[in-house]
Coordinates of all heavy atoms in Angstrom, one line a residue:
A110 N 77.2 60.2 145.8 CA 76.5 61.3 146.7 C 77.3 61.6 148.1 O 77.7 60.6 148.6 CB 75.0 60.8 146.9
D111 N 77.2 62.8 148.4 CA 78.1 63.1 149.6 C 77.3 62.5 150.9 O 78.0 62.3 151.8 CB 78.1 64.6 149.8 CG 76.8 65.3 149.7 OD1 75.7 64.7 149.6 OD2 76.7 66.5 149.8
D112 N 76.1 62.2 150.7 CA 75.4 61.5 152.0 C 75.5 60.0 151.9 O 74.9 59.4 152.7 CB 74.1 62.1 152.2 CG 73.1 61.9 151.1 OD1 73.6 61.3 150.0 OD2 72.0 62.1 151.3
T113 N 76.2 59.4 150.8 CA 76.2 58.0 150.8 C 77.0 57.4 152.1 O 77.9 57.8 152.4 CB 77.0 57.5 149.5 OG1 76.2 58.0 148.3 CG2 77.2 56.1 149.4
K114 N 76.4 56.3 152.6 CA 76.9 55.6 153.7 C 77.8 54.6 153.2 O 77.5 53.7 152.4 CB 75.8 55.1 154.6 CG 74.7 56.0 155.1 CD 75.4 56.9 156.0 CE 74.3 57.8 156.8 NZ 73.5 58.6 155.8
L115 N 79.2 54.6 153.6 CA 80.0 53.6 153.1 C 80.6 52.9 154.4 O 80.8 53.4 155.5 CB 81.3 54.4 152.6 CG 81.0 55.5 151.5 CD1 82.3 56.3 151.3 CD2 80.7 54.8 150.2
G116 N 80.8 51.5 154.2 CA 81.3 50.8 155.3 C 81.3 49.3 155.1 O 80.8 48.8 154.1
M117 N 81.9 48.6 156.1 CA 81.9 47.1 156.0 C 81.3 46.6 157.3 O 81.9 46.0 158.1 CB 83.3 46.6 155.8 CG 83.5 45.2 155.7 SD 82.8 44.5 154.0 CE 84.0 45.1 152.9
P118 N 80.0 46.9 157.7 CA 79.5 46.6 158.9 C 79.5 45.1 159.2 O 79.3 44.8 160.5 CB 78.0 47.1 158.8 CG 77.8 47.2 157.3 CD 79.1 47.5 156.7
A119 N 79.5 44.1 158.2 CA 79.4 42.8 158.6 C 80.6 42.4 159.5 O 80.6 41.3 160.0 CB 79.5 42.0 157.1
T120 N 81.7 43.2 159.5 CA 82.9 42.8 160.3 C 82.4 42.6 161.8 O 83.1 42.0 162.6 CB 84.1 43.8 160.2 OG1 83.5 45.1 160.7 CG2 84.5 43.8 158.8
R121 N 81.4 43.3 162.2 CA 80.8 43.3 163.6 C 80.4 41.9 164.0 O 80.6 41.6 165.2 CB 79.7 44.3 163.8 CG 80.2 45.7 163.5 CD 79.0 46.6 163.6 NE 79.3 48.1 163.3 CZ 78.4 49.0 163.0 NH1 77.1 48.8 163.1 NH2 78.7 50.2 162.8
F122 N 79.9 41.1 163.0 CA 79.3 39.8 163.4 C 80.0 38.6 162.6 O 79.8 37.5 163.1 CB 77.8 39.7 163.3 CG 77.2 40.2 162.0 CD1 77.1 39.4 160.9 CD2 76.9 41.6 161.8 CE1 76.6 40.0 159.7 CE2 76.4 42.1 160.7 CZ 76.2 41.3 159.5
L123 N 80.7 39.0 161.6 CA 81.3 38.0 160.7 C 82.9 38.0 161.0 O 83.7 37.1 160.5 CB 81.1 38.0 159.4 CG 79.7 37.7 159.0 CD1 79.4 37.9 157.5 CD2 79.3 36.2 159.4
G124 N 83.3 39.0 161.7 CA 84.9 39.2 161.9 C 85.4 40.0 160.7 O 84.7 40.4 159.8
P125 N 86.7 40.5 160.8 CA 87.3 41.4 159.8 C 87.2 40.7 158.3 O 87.4 39.4 158.3 CB 88.8 41.4 160.3 CG 88.6 41.2 161.7 CD 87.5 40.3 161.9
A126 N 86.8 41.5 157.3 CA 86.7 41.1 155.9 C 88.1 40.9 155.5 O 88.6 41.8 154.7 CB 85.8 42.0 155.2
L127 N 88.8 39.8 155.6 CA 90.2 39.7 155.3 C 90.4 39.8 153.7 O 91.3 40.3 153.2 CB 90.8 38.4 155.8 CG 90.8 38.3 157.4 CD1 91.4 36.9 157.7 CD2 91.6 39.5 157.9
G128 N 89.3 39.3 153.0 CA 89.4 39.3 151.6 C 89.4 40.7 150.9 O 89.8 40.9 149.8
S129 N 88.9 41.6 151.9 CA 89.0 43.0 151.3 C 90.2 43.8 151.6 O 90.2 45.0 151.3 CB 87.7 43.8 151.9 OG 86.5 43.0 151.7
L130 N 91.2 43.2 152.4 CA 92.3 44.0 152.9 C 93.1 44.6 151.8 O 93.4 45.9 151.8 CB 93.2 43.1 153.6 CG 92.8 42.8 155.1 CD1 93.7 41.7 155.8 CD2 92.6 44.0 155.9
H131 N 93.4 44.0 150.7 CA 94.1 44.5 149.7 C 93.5 45.7 148.8 O 94.1 46.7 148.6 CB 94.6 43.4 148.7 CG 95.5 43.7 147.6 ND1 95.1 44.3 146.3 CD2 96.9 43.9 147.5 CE1 96.2 44.6 145.6 NE2 97.2 44.4 146.3
L132 N 92.2 45.4 148.6 CA 91.5 46.4 147.8 C 91.3 47.6 148.8 O 91.5 48.7 148.2 CB 90.2 45.8 147.5 CG 89.1 46.9 146.8 CD1 89.6 47.3 145.6 CD2 87.7 46.1 146.7
F133 N 90.9 47.5 149.9 CA 90.8 48.7 150.8 C 92.0 49.3 151.0 O 92.1 50.6 151.1 CB 90.1 48.2 152.1 CG 88.6 48.1 152.1 CD1 88.0 47.5 151.1 CD2 87.8 48.6 153.0 CE1 86.6 47.4 151.0 CE2 86.5 48.5 153.0 CZ 85.7 47.9 151.9
F134 N 93.2 48.6 151.3 CA 94.4 49.3 151.6 C 94.7 50.2 150.4 O 95.3 51.4 150.5 CB 95.4 48.2 151.7 CG 96.7 48.7 152.1 CD1 97.2 49.0 153.4 CD2 97.8 49.0 151.2 CE1 98.4 49.5 153.8 CE2 98.9 49.5 151.4 CZ 99.3 49.8 152.9

Side-chain angles (χ1 to χ4, degrees):
D111 56 4
D112 61 353
T113 293
K114 302 296 190 298
L115 310 167
M117 187 65 75
T120 61
R121 297 173 185 169
F122 48 90
L123 291 177
L127 299 179
S129 306
L130 283 176
H131 185 272
L132 174 62
F133 275 46
F134 183 89

